[in-house]
Every structure is written in structure tokens, then in C-alpha cells.
Amino acid sequence: MKKKAGINGFGRFGLHLIKYWLDRHEESDFTINYINDDTLTIDQAIEILYNDSIVIFSKYKIKKIGNRIRFLKPNGVAEEIEYANTNKNQIPWVGKPELFFECSGKNTVKKDCLKFLKGKTTVVIISATSWDADKTLLYGFNNKEYKNKHKIVSYGSCTVNAFIPLGAFMDKLYGIVDADVNVVHNIQKYRLKDNDTLNRKFCTLEKSGPQLLKCLSKKNFSVNYTVVPYTGVSMIDFRFRLKKCPTLNQFIMTLENAIYEGKLKGLYNMHDADRGPEVHNCTPFSAVFIKENLKIVKDQVYIFSYFDNENSVNRYYDLANYITNA
């Protein structure tokens, strides 16, 4: 029998997560049975489900039935999710599901999540960086380190999931001397203002990178993180200085093999040419590399890519599925 899950927070992350799970429901090892949002009513949530321009639910017939949202699939199978609109201290379904998905972005400190560990609930998975979680687990990197003692788990972040598995791969094969990441990050539409301009910010990857990869430190790793007044897919570019640098052709062959058959399969993809950001909306990959833009200059490798930061739910989903079976 599949384990049950509940989502707290129906913002962009929660919206993507519902769609990603619905599209993979048959193969998923958990069901999403509950949603709570402290701001959106059930009618407002349904309006978003009908009208969002990026996360498209057109293949599902959506209907409100009391306090439930029903998703009817083309094959006649229906999924119903109980919906609540209350603050985190009054969520009516706390303790009922085995998995608690904290996706509000408001409870990233461990003590704020402990109250969700009641009844049948055995683990809380935070959809953001949490510095004091029992464990930060990235699917495809260290998810197999999960233990039952890990009650509050962080999935990292969109940038952390885009970089860390690739960084680990590069270090194992070639040895990283130093590295940096350049992120051009979008902004959610509802936060966009007429007077917005470029804004350089701190990125959690800059701190969590050295915590997760032994080859990195404050001295040899940096992240340039710029938020731009734009709502589309973001860009993330990588530079690695290597101890054993391959030729460009060797590197492309090795990277393609890892993506399609090896360690990076399912995590990354590569396109031959740059077709712009729009084609990567709702991609199932943590980042998509652009082959024609790959460069090697002396002992440095440059990898240019796009990533749909909103849809980093792909790795969150994978991690939840793994924990369900652990």
C-alpha cells in the first residue's frame, strides 16, 4: 500500500509538485492526500490550477467537492486531495500522512517543523535549505545516506541540486582545484514590480557546497547569484579548474555517457544547440547543458546550462520516493 503525504504550502513549488506527482502517479510510491495553505482558499487554488500559464493541468478535469479537489484523469481514474486554508498550528490533517512535505518556505528551521511529527508522520521533508535539519539529502548524490533517525530532512535547493552531483562527478574523475558558479535567476511573477532591477544576492549554494563536497572550501569556491526582473527559466553556468584536464572531445564523450548511461542519468540532459530558455520550462532535469557552448581553456572547463528553478521539484519528488522505500 502506498504511503500518504501532505503538502503545507501551495505556492509555486507546491503547484509544480502536484503536477509532477499527478503525471507520475502510477509509478509513484506515495500519494498526495492533503494540502494546506495559510493564504490561498480552495477556490483560489482551483483558479490557479485552471489558469496558470506554465504549469498546465489541461489533461485533468478539476472539480471542487466540499473541501476536496478532484483530479479526473483521461483514463477515468480520479485523485482527491483534501484542502485546508489555515495557519500551521491548526492544520487538521497533521499526523495522518506518513510524509509531511513542508513547501511553504516559511518553516526552514528544525524547531518549527518538529510540531508536524505526530501520529503516523515519521519524516518532514523541507523544500528549501535548512541549516539545522537532521540531514541534507540530494537525490543522485547522497540520498542513500538516509536513516530512520533523520526526522527533519532538507532537499537542498534548486541551485544545490543543479551543482552538487555535477561537482562530485567532476572531482571524482578529474580532481577539482577550484570552481565557481554563475547564476542568473528569475523572480516569481507575483513579486515582479515595475521598478525592479538586477539584484546580487547571497546563494545558499555558496555555504552548502563546501559542506557537501570535501574538495570545496571558502577559498576555492564562489557563487555569483544575480536575480533579474524576468519570470522565465533561469541560467546556471559552471567553471571548474581541474588537476587532470581532458580534451574537449574526451570531456564531451565522458559527459554524454554519464548523462545517458551513467552516474548523471536522469539528473541532467544536454542539447546540441542553444534554443533559448523557453524550451526548458518544466524540465525533469536539474540542469540542461548546451553542447555547442562547452569550452576548455587550458586547465579549466566551462559548462553553460539552463535550469527551471521552479521545477526543482523533480529532485524533491525523487527524494520523497526514495525515502518512502528506505
Side-chain angles (χ1 to χ4, degrees):
M1 199 172 200
K2 296 186 178 185
K3 290 185 178 180
K4 296 180 180 179
I7 300 175
N8 183 44
F10 195 59
R12 300 303 301 172
F13 197 96
L15 181 67
H16 276 275
L17 181 56
I18 287 292
K19 177 62 162 53
Y20 202 83
W21 168 74
L22 280 171
D23 289 350
R24 295 158 180 79
H25 175 262
E26 285 75 15
E27 63 199 60
S28 173
D29 292 315
F30 63 86
T31 59
I32 295 177
N33 300 80
Y34 309 96
I35 297 174
N36 178 70
D37 191 90
D38 61 3
T39 301
L40 297 172
T41 65
I42 188 171
D43 292 318
Q44 290 171 323
I46 289 175
E47 183 178 355
I48 292 171
L49 291 167
Y50 273 123
N51 299 318
D52 194 85
S53 60
I54 301 298
V55 190
I56 308 299
F57 289 83
S58 57
K59 72 178 181 180
Y60 301 100
K61 292 183 178 179
I62 302 171
K63 184 176 182 180
K64 181 177 80 168
I65 303 176
N67 69 336
R68 295 175 177 271
I69 302 175
R70 186 182 70 186
F71 297 86
L72 184 63
K73 301 181 181 182
N75 62 3
V77 175
E79 300 295 337
E80 291 190 5
I81 301 177
E82 181 181 318
Y83 192 93
N85 171 217
T86 186
N87 66 62
K88 66 179 182 181
N89 297 317
Q90 297 178 312
I91 300 174
W93 48 263
V94 166
K96 293 181 180 179
E98 288 87 350
L99 307 170
F100 190 103
F101 296 160
E102 172 44 49
C103 300
S104 71
K106 300 175 182 178
N107 302 297
T108 59
V109 178
K110 180 178 178 178
K111 68 176 183 179
D112 294 334
C113 294
L114 291 174
K115 63 186 68 178
F116 303 138
L117 289 170
K118 294 182 178 180
K120 296 180 181 179
T121 304
T122 59
V123 62
V124 177
I125 307 176
I126 302 173
S127 67
T129 300
S130 174
W131 300 118
D132 66 346
D134 294 333
K135 189 77 173 176
T136 294
L137 294 170
L138 310 182
Y139 186 82
F141 171 67
N142 67 342
N143 56 286
K144 293 182 180 180
E145 295 177 12
Y146 170 74
K147 306 293 182 185
N148 289 335
K149 66 179 181 180
H150 299 138
K151 302 299 183 183
I152 309 296
V153 170
S154 167
Y155 102 118
S157 71
C158 57
T159 52
V160 171
N161 276 277
F163 174 79
I164 294 296
L166 175 64
F169 169 80
M170 297 295 289
D171 186 58
K172 184 175 181 180
L173 283 184
Y174 307 114
I176 293 176
V177 177
D178 54 54
D180 54 56
V181 181
N182 186 59
V183 181
V184 178
H185 201 284
N186 70 5
I187 189 170
Q188 297 98 326
K189 189 174 182 179
Y190 72 91
R191 291 184 176 178
L192 196 61
K193 300 176 183 178
D194 291 338
N195 61 348
D196 276 334
T197 185
L198 299 180
N199 185 13
R200 294 190 186 275
K201 289 183 145 188
F202 168 77
C203 179
T204 58
L205 173 60
E206 191 151 13
K207 180 178 177 179
S208 56
Q211 291 180 345
L212 292 164
L213 291 179
K214 293 180 180 179
C215 61
L216 301 180
S217 70
K218 291 182 179 180
K219 294 181 179 180
N220 73 343
F221 180 65
S222 64
V223 180
N224 179 31
Y225 182 87
T226 306
V227 177
V228 298
Y230 156 78
T231 60
V233 171
S234 301
M235 294 189 292
I236 184 166
D237 300 332
F238 313 93
R239 181 199 64 84
F240 299 96
R241 188 190 306 274
L242 304 173
K243 297 175 183 176
K244 300 175 292 182
C245 195
T247 65
L248 182 58
N249 287 338
Q250 288 172 337
F251 180 66
I252 289 174
M253 289 179 60
T254 300
L255 186 59
E256 285 182 325
N257 182 66
I259 287 172
Y260 302 125
E261 302 293 338
K263 287 284 188 180
L264 304 182
K265 186 177 181 179
L267 303 180
Y268 301 94
N269 197 10
M270 183 151 61
H271 285 192
D272 289 338
D274 190 343
R275 293 182 285 158
E278 290 78 12
V279 298
H280 306 292
N281 275 322
C282 295
T283 176
F285 303 104
S286 299
V288 180
F289 310 135
I290 306 303
K291 185 176 180 178
E292 68 176 4
N293 292 340
L294 288 171
K295 293 181 181 179
I296 291 182
V297 180
K298 294 184 178 180
D299 57 352
Q300 299 179 84
V301 175
Y302 295 84
I303 303 172
F304 302 91
S305 63
Y306 292 101
F307 78 128
D308 185 0
N309 49 284
E310 279 193 359
N311 200 42
S312 61
V313 298
N314 44 36
R315 300 293 80 83
Y316 186 95
Y317 168 92
D318 290 338
L319 177 61
N321 226 28
Y322 179 83
I323 288 176
T324 298
N325 290 303

